[in-house]
């Protein structure tokens, strides 16, 4: 057991360590408006988010590094209050304005955002130990708990999302915590654990509103536990008490909907319309198309960046689902209904951001671990029982190696390295026809790299386009296709297959010509 704990701690440390190594990854879409929220809080002393789609917990994680500015101005404000006439009702207003003005003076959001990234990273990393605890509670097997922790902790997808000042990684951690608390409630047949789980679910909703779905497994577990012990009316009252506790905790953490209900409703309606109508290049077909692409991501790239390894872990997850249902409906149903309901809700939308799927990662990781254990149990020979865990172990080690190598390349802009990598890709695929954009051709020339016989002048004749990403319009490359970009060229800080509009575009990429919406024109010298 001690070795298992140490192994989980090592995985956790790798997740945090590689996250810190790559914390200076460039820019993120959400950071400017978060910086505005912090600046507004310093200017007005009003500690409420300017927008409620990302509610209070992400807001506070971003604001926390800036709070010392308020503390620094407190002494001056107290001195001001001591000098005014307390009999005058509004005499405190100049002191308050002095305090907020001193806090806002010379505010630079850059260091605050960087420190906030660290807080988001650490909060997201809690998914690793909580996923291990979830699996241990389910199965009681230390090796499987370590395996589940490794699926999340060595996932490149989970890792780069965790660096962002976005709520999805933090929501992943609350998902793991909530499911663990639900598992404890089921195993111990304790409504008290489910009450704590309801509070954890409220924290998820206060992180991102769609986290409110975490209440569903709490209610399902409560119903399964109470229906044989209490009359129907008493069961309904207990479930209402869980929902009421969830609502109270949410409003305590996120009072904005009560203070500004109209803005809250308008934002919700706006986001609903946004996801229903689409946003190039992230637009997908509602229904089967969205569902299929989401499942491909979860059972493939999320589990491993190597396309031939992801399905191996995906298969173990499917085995784990079956094994869980065979063992206990009370264990399997709360988690399964969370995943099924979330997939059903998300897949009817026309915008697909894979970061929204992180909420399901702890369940997926636990199913992978359960599946490995179940497959090993089914094999009769001693040799067979070793093969399955060994293969999965190799996959996870490859994942860890990729995670470390990618993190070490972040914040190291090197045009010669980009050119060298692109040249190697062209040389390694002599049967593939490549088109090099003018800027890439110039970079090859500057670095003394010869153009091979498989380089063509017309993009329409090429199988693969080697481009400087900054040359490509942000909506020219459709998202949510796992093999748009050739492996080995791209961005170490993000999966461009799923985020082709990434802001850091000063890099060489190789794109399959069949996926590009707007093909570039031929090089000028060839027109």
């Amino acid at each position: 057991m001690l070795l298992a704990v140490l192994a989980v701690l090592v995985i956790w440390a790798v997740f945090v360590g590689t996250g810190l190594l790559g914390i200076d990854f460039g820019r993120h879409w959400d950071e400017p408006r978060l910086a505005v929220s912090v600046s507004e809080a310093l200017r007005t002393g009003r500690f409420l988010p300017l927008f409620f789609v990302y509610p209070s917990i992400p807001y506070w994680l971003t604001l926390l590094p800036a709070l010392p500015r308020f503390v620094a101005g407190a002494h001056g404000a107290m001195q001001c209050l001591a000098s005014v006439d307390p009999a005058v009702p509004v005499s405190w207003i100049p002191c308050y304005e002095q305090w907020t003005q001193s806090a806002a003076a010379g505010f630079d959001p850059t260091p605050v955002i960087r420190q906030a990234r660290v807080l988001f990273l650490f909060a997201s990393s809690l998914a690793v130990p909580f996923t291990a605890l979830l699996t241990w509670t389910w199965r009681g097997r230390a090796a499987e708990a370590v395996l589940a922790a490794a699926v999340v902790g060595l996932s490149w997808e989970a890792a780069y999302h965790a660096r962002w000042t976005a709520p999805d990684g933090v929501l992943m951690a609350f998902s793991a915590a909530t499911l663990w608390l639900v598992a404890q409630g089921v195993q111990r047949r304790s409504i008290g654990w489910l009450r704590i789980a309801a509070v954890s679910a409220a924290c998820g909703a206060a992180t991102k509103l769609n986290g409110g779905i975490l209440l569903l497994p709490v209610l399902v577990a409560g119903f399964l536990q109470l229906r044989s012990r209490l009359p129907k009316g008493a069961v309904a009252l207990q479930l209402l008490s869980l929902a009421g506790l969830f609502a109270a905790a949410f409003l305590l953490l996120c009072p904005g909907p009560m203070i500004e209900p109209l803005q809250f409703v308008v934002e919700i309606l706006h986001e609903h319309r946004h996801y229903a109508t689409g946003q190039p290049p992230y637009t997908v077909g509602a229904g089967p198309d969205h569902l299929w692409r989401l499942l491909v991501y979860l059972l493939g790239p999320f589990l491993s960046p190597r396309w031939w390894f992801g399905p191996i872990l995906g298969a173990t997850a499917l085995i784990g689902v079956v094994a869980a249902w065979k063992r206990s409906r009370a264990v399997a149903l709360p988690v399964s209904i969370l995943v099924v309901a979330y997939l059903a809700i998300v897949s009817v939308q026309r915008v697909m951001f894979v970061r929204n799927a992180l909420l399901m990662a702890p369940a997926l990781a636990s199913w992978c671990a359960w599946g490995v254990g179940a497959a090993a149990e089914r094999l009769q020979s001693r040799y067979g029982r070793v093969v399955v865990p060994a293969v999965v172990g190799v996959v996870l080690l490859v994942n860890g190696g990729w995670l470390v190598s990618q993190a070490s390349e972040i914040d190291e802009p090197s045009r010669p390295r980009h050119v060298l990598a692109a040249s190697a890709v062209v040389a390694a695929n002599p049967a593939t026809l490549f088109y090099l954009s003018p800027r890439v051709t110039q970079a090859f020339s500057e670095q003394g790299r010869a153009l091979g016989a498989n380089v063509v002048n017309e993009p329409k004749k090429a199988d693969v386009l080697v481009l400087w990403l900054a040359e490509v319009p942000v909506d020219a490359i459709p998202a949510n296709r796992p093999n748009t970009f050739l492996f080995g060229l791209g961005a170490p800080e993000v999966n461009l297959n799923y985020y082709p509009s990434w802001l850091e575009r000063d890099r060489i990429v190789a794109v399959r010509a069949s996926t590009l919406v707007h093909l570039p024109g031929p090089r000028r010298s060839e027109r």
Side-chain angles (χ1 to χ4, degrees), residues 234-316:
V235 171
L237 286 176
Q238 288 284 4
L239 296 182
L240 284 174
S241 73
L242 289 174
L245 183 60
F246 167 87
F250 172 74
L251 291 175
L252 181 64
L253 291 165
C254 186
M258 293 187 299
I259 298 171
E260 296 178 337
L262 293 181
Q263 179 184 341
F264 180 76
V265 171
V266 167
E267 286 193 33
I268 297 300
L269 294 175
H270 170 77
E271 283 302 304
H272 173 73
R273 186 171 182 273
H274 166 215
Y275 275 84
T277 55
Q279 176 190 331
Y282 300 95
T283 303
V284 296
D289 181 55
H290 194 155
L291 179 61
W292 170 250
R293 294 185 187 280
L294 200 53
L295 290 174
V296 166
Y297 172 75
L298 286 170
L299 300 178
F302 177 82
L303 294 174
S304 179
R306 307 279 183 173
W307 68 266
W308 56 92
F309 282 167
I312 294 176
L313 289 175
T316 65

Side-chain angles (χ1 to χ4, degrees), residues 26-390:
R27 298 168 295 161
H28 184 267
W29 302 280
D30 295 339
E31 289 178 346
R33 61 177 181 174
L34 286 171
V36 169
S37 287
V38 173
S39 176
E40 189 69 8
L42 295 174
R43 187 184 67 82
T44 64
R46 178 180 175 272
F47 296 103
L48 282 176
L50 293 182
F51 44 91
F52 297 118
V53 174
Y54 291 175
S56 292
I57 288 180
Y59 173 72
W60 277 99
L61 286 174
T62 311
L63 182 62
L64 195 59
L67 288 183
R69 299 179 69 90
F70 267 104
V71 176
H75 180 68
M78 295 304 103
Q79 286 183 326
C80 176
L81 285 173
S83 64
V84 299
D85 185 357
V88 180
V90 295
S91 61
W92 55 270
I93 291 180
C95 302
Y96 175 76
E97 292 175 345
Q98 174 187 322
W99 193 356
T100 56
Q101 287 171 6
S102 66
F107 172 65
D108 179 8
T110 302
V112 170
I113 291 296
R114 191 185 187 283
Q115 293 169 45
R117 288 179 182 178
V118 175
L119 295 178
F120 275 85
L121 168 65
F122 182 76
S124 302
S125 76
L126 294 174
V128 176
F130 277 123
T131 300
L133 287 171
L134 167 63
T135 308
W136 168 256
T137 304
W138 269 2
R139 295 282 285 164
R141 297 183 177 182
E144 292 180 22
V146 173
L147 182 60
V151 170
V152 172
L154 301 180
S155 167
W156 181 49
E157 295 291 324
Y160 74 72
H161 282 104
R163 298 186 189 104
W164 296 358
T165 51
D168 305 276
V170 183
L171 180 56
M172 175 177 66
F174 280 120
S175 175
T178 303
L179 291 177
W180 169 60
L181 292 165
V182 167
Q184 287 282 4
V186 170
Q187 298 284 49
R188 297 171 182 266
R189 298 181 64 82
S190 167
I191 195 69
W193 282 93
L194 296 183
R195 291 193 179 101
I196 302 173
V199 174
S200 178
C203 292
T207 300
K208 193 171 184 178
L209 294 179
N210 58 7
I213 200 172
L214 292 174
L215 179 63
L216 189 56
V218 180
L219 296 178
V220 170
F223 174 76
L224 293 176
Q225 182 183 134
L226 297 170
R227 64 176 180 166
S228 61
R229 295 160 47 187
L230 297 173
K232 290 183 179 179
V235 171
L237 286 176
Q238 288 284 4
L239 296 182
L240 284 174
S241 73
L242 289 174
L245 183 60
F246 167 87
F250 172 74
L251 291 175
L252 181 64
L253 291 165
C254 186
M258 293 187 299
I259 298 171
E260 296 178 337
L262 293 181
Q263 179 184 341
F264 180 76
V265 171
V266 167
E267 286 193 33
I268 297 300
L269 294 175
H270 170 77
E271 283 302 304
H272 173 73
R273 186 171 182 273
H274 166 215
Y275 275 84
T277 55
Q279 176 190 331
Y282 300 95
T283 303
V284 296
D289 181 55
H290 194 155
L291 179 61
W292 170 250
R293 294 185 187 280
L294 200 53
L295 290 174
V296 166
Y297 172 75
L298 286 170
L299 300 178
F302 177 82
L303 294 174
S304 179
R306 307 279 183 173
W307 68 266
W308 56 92
F309 282 167
I312 294 176
L313 289 175
T316 65
L318 297 176
I319 295 171
V321 173
V322 175
W325 276 95
K326 284 185 175 180
R327 177 176 175 179
S328 170
R329 185 174 66 173
V331 170
L333 184 57
V335 179
S336 299
I337 202 167
L338 169 67
V339 174
V340 171
Y342 195 69
L343 286 173
I345 293 170
V346 170
S347 63
V348 299
Q349 301 164 347
R350 298 200 63 222
V351 175
M352 177 176 164
F353 294 121
V354 293
R355 67 186 191 178
N356 290 324
L358 293 183
L359 177 146
M360 297 179 282
L364 181 63
S366 292
W367 280 334
C368 285
W370 197 324
V372 170
E377 288 173 358
R378 294 284 294 177
L379 297 173
Q380 298 300 318
S381 67
R382 181 181 302 177
Y383 174 77
R385 292 183 179 182
V386 172
V387 168
V388 174

Side-chain angles (χ1 to χ4, degrees), residues 421-458:
S423 176
V425 167
V426 173
N429 297 275
T432 302
L433 297 179
F434 289 86
Y435 168 79
L436 274 57
S437 73
R439 187 171 174 184
V440 174
T441 302
Q442 180 183 355
F444 268 53
S445 176
E446 291 172 354
Q447 297 299 321
R449 296 283 166 182
L451 303 183
N454 58 337
V455 175
V456 297
N457 297 321
E458 292 283 348

